[in-house]
């Protein structure tokens, strides 16, 4: 085992040195000018945009719902991130170049009604952001920007899942080995909730998303949601897509460092991208005028590596919608209700105080940064309807609770970070000490659940994302004598031989926050700890349908096609090997 790993590391090193000799980046970043000082940009001057909405279903004359057919392009265009910044070059999703936005349009799907999307790549020959050829990466220099779209949180056949090797360039001039012809089909046979679509091309995900390729996707189910009486409608129910970026001072172009932390290994790759400007729905520190009443906010964290720990000023609170359940679960999206009537103040600021990288070192000072501002209007009885919305104590339908006894097997997933000899500088990260291209080792059976014990031997928190499946966290515990365990694992890569049981047993337990106890598809895996989770490879059905055939089988043949993946959702990690294939069997 140990020898095999060593050989594998050597192979990677050899590949890397060879590739490093080939000089390649994107178009030279204009001017190479100085970074924009965020203090120079006035906050709260741009109004929060609502992204265009695309209806992912059709309605017949008779009122019946039928499958929707959308065509969404990826365009090389510009976007104004702030009143005082020049228009910035971006890659954006939209139905035309003129209407493409960052983030892209919000797709509104209906539970049980399929949405077919033809994703069209209109991108140029070269990227405008740096591209590191020494990573396992899609495509080639100068041969078109490779892209592929993954619907995060979606339960779809693997040919529509946006497998990272299913990439394609403009006009399908070049395609990856797992490519499948359009359109992609999203069955939407899953509980209502918040999803997002984003680029997933091998080795380029961090760059393509940084360039602007992401957007929100909702699955609605009026039958289930209307009785909850949550704030609803375009004005009261908003998506907030958050990310951080750096810009160049002169021309306002997006900045991504083109020098790696280990430039002799990876000329460009850096372990984490952090920007100093917080962008919401494409505007830096925007404002939103609200009425003094309840709003529903679906907050999506679309950053490469930044965690957001959000709070509101003036005593306002976020109330997680059905904190125990699926409305929050399907991705790292906080679905909250805020009651602006709870303050008499005329405005409130939403801010973030999470360390970056997260969780940082104990005792680190964290900076509180503004995210956006709400301007709270005065109640005007004559024109405003009273707020009759509510925050339900619980949802109408019950979804299955955790039952660890149903687990068919237990798997262990270890997270490692490899550093350059004699330094602390990471060169790449592996799951189970294997590279992405190593043969598949995770082959769960359709219709079963499994316990996954995820062991983080790095210093960072890694949000783990499993495609197709949903999981619920059972417990998280510190590892005992983590250094000894890590050293042994690095030498032998054999958890049993390294006495994994001894290191797992009896460590300090860490409570799972209430709002993160439901079924999810991303969970933040603590450093130096084991996180045990129950992963289900079957559809999530309400209790009253929990033992039907439909609850054991996906509505498509889950065993065919290129299969699925699981990976760290820090994009810079995912692009540098912190991803593994997964094949579902019957
Ligand atoms: C979308 O395409 C499907 C299959 O071709 C068709 O049945 C459906 O009616 C179309 N939907 C709309 C809204 O045109
Ligand atoms: C870019 O990264 C290099 C290497 O990590 C670093 O020395 C340099 O300061 C960075 N440049 C900027 C503008 O952050
Ligand atoms: C790392 O250093 C050790 C000794 O310090 C040496 O045996 C090993 O070959 C080095 N590995 C690489 C990849 O350079
Ligand atoms: C992966 C990650 O950082 N997720 C965070 C994104 O932001 C939301 C909203 O604050 C948090 O709940 C997530 O933890
Ligand atoms: C917080 C913590 O325990 N971090 C540990 C994560 O694992 C590495 C070993 O890879 C330790 O060095 C850290 O102390
Ligand atoms: Cu990670």
């Amino acid at each position: 085992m140990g020898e095999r790993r060593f050989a594998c590391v050597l192979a990677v090193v050899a590949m890397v040195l060879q590739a490093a000799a080939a000089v390649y980046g994107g178009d030279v970043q204009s001017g190479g000018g100085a970074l924009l000082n965020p203090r120079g940009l006035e906050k709260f001057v741009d109004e929060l945009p609502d992204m265009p909405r695309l209806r992912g279903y059709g309605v017949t004359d008779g009122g019946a719902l039928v499958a929707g057919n959308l065509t969404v392009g990826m365009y090389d265009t510009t976007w104004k991130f702030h009143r005082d910044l020049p228009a910035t070059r971006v890659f954006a999703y939209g139905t035309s170049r003129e209407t493409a936005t960052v983030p892209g349009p919000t797709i509104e799907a209906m539970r049980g009604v399929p949405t077919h999307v033809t994703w069209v790549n209109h991108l140029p020959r070269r990227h405008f952001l740096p591209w590191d050829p020494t990573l396992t990466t899609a495509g080639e220099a100068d041969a078109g920007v490779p892209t592929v779209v993954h619907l995060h949180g979606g339960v779809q056949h693997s040919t529509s899942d946006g497998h990272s090797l299913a990439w394609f360039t403009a006009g399908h001039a070049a395609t990856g080995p797992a490519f499948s012809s359009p359109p992609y089909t999203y069955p939407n046979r899953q509980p209502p909730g918040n999803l997002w679509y984003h680029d997933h091309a091998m080795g380029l995900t961090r760059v393509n998303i940084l360039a602007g390729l992401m957007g929100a996707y909702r699955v609605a189910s009026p039958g289930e949601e209307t009785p909850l009486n949550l704030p609803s409608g375009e004005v009261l129910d908003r998506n907030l897509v958050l990310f951080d970026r750096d810009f160049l001072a002169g021309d306002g172009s997006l900045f991504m460092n083109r020098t790696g932390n280990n430039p002799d290994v990876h000329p460009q790759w850096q372990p984490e991208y952090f920007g100093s400007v917080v962008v919401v729905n494409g505007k830096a520190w925007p404002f939103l005028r609200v009425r003094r009443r309840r709003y529903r906010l679906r907050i999506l964290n679309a950053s490469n590596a930044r965690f957001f720990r959000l709070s509101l000023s003036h005593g306002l609170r976020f109330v997680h919608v059905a904190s125990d359940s699926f409305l929050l679960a399907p991705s790292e999206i906080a679905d909250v209700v805020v009651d602006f009537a709870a303050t008499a103040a005329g405005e409130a600021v939403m801010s973030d105080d999470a360390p970056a990288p997260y969780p940082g070192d104990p005792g680190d000072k964290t900076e509180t940064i503004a995210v956006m501002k709400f301007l709270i209007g005065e109640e005007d009885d004559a024109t405003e309807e009273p707020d009759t919305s509510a925050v339900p104590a619980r949802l109408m339908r019950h979804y299955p609770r955790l039952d660890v006894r149903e687990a068919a097997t237990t798997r262990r997933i270890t997270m490692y970070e490899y550093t350059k000899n004699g330094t602390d500088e990471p060169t790449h990260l592996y799951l189970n000490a294997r590279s992405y291209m190593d043969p598949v080792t995770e082959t769960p059976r359709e219709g079963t659940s499994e316990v996954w014990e995820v062991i983080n031997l790095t210093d960072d928190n890694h949000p783990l994302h499993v495609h197709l499946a949903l999981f619920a966290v059972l417990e998280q515990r510190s590892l005992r004598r983590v250094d000894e365990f890590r050293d042994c694992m690095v030498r032998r890569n054999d958890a049993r031989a390294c006495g994994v049981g001894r290191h797992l047993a009896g460590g300090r337990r860490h409570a799972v926050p209430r709002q993160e106890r439901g079924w999810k598809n991303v969970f933040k895996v603590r450093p130096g700890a084991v996180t045990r989770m129950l992963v289900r490879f079957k559809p999530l059905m309400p209790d009253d349908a929990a033992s039907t055939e439909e609850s054991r089988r996906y509505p498509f043949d889950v065993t065919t096609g290129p299969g699925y993946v699981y990976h760290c959702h820090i994009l810079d990690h995912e692009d540098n090997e912190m991803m593994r294939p997964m094949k579902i069997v019957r």
Side-chain angles (χ1 to χ4, degrees), residues 456-459 482-483 486 527-529:
N456 174 10
L457 293 173
T458 79
D459 283 334
V482 63
D483 291 344
R486 189 232 10 238

Side-chain angles (χ1 to χ4, degrees), residues 80-123:
K80 281 278 280 182
F81 283 97
H82 187 274
R83 183 193 66 189
D84 302 332
L85 275 179
T88 297
R89 186 173 179 192
V90 292
F91 290 161
Y93 290 114
T95 50
S96 68
R97 184 184 306 277
E98 292 64 41
T99 57
T101 51
V102 177
T106 299
I107 298 179
E108 298 183 310
M110 200 55 85
R111 182 173 194 178
V113 184
T115 301
H116 305 286
V117 184
T118 299
W119 301 101
V120 187
N121 181 334
H122 297 286
L123 299 177

Side-chain angles (χ1 to χ4, degrees), residues 159-170:
T159 50
S160 291
D161 196 49
H163 190 281
S164 51
L165 297 176
W167 53 267
F168 53 96
T169 60

Side-chain angles (χ1 to χ4, degrees), residues 194 325-333 470-471 518-522:
N194 303 299
S325 189
F326 60 87
L327 276 179
L328 177 64
S331 82
E332 276 288 296
I333 296 179
L470 279 175
F471 52 78
W519 292 103
K520 295 171 62 70
N521 62 24
V522 173

Side-chain angles (χ1 to χ4, degrees), residues 242 299-303 305-311 318 320 328 331-336 352 358 461-464 515-516 520 522-524 569-570:
L242 274 55
I299 307 174
L300 158 63
N301 181 351
S303 293
R306 184 179 291 280
F307 284 60
F308 287 101
R309 187 159 64 200
L310 299 172
S311 59
F318 295 117
H320 283 266
L328 177 64
S331 82
E332 276 288 296
I333 296 179
D335 195 333
V336 300
D352 160 47
Y358 189 82
N461 189 316
H462 300 274
L464 185 74
Q515 73 276 12
E516 297 194 2
K520 295 171 62 70
V522 173
F523 189 77
K524 299 178 283 297
H569 221 290
I570 291 181

Side-chain angles (χ1 to χ4, degrees), residues 547-568:
S547 53
T548 57
E549 181 63 12
E550 214 188 347
S551 71
R552 285 186 288 271
R553 288 256 185 266
Y554 289 102
F556 45 80
D557 185 352
V558 72
T559 65
T560 56
Y564 298 87
V565 293
Y566 67 95
H567 59 86
C568 173

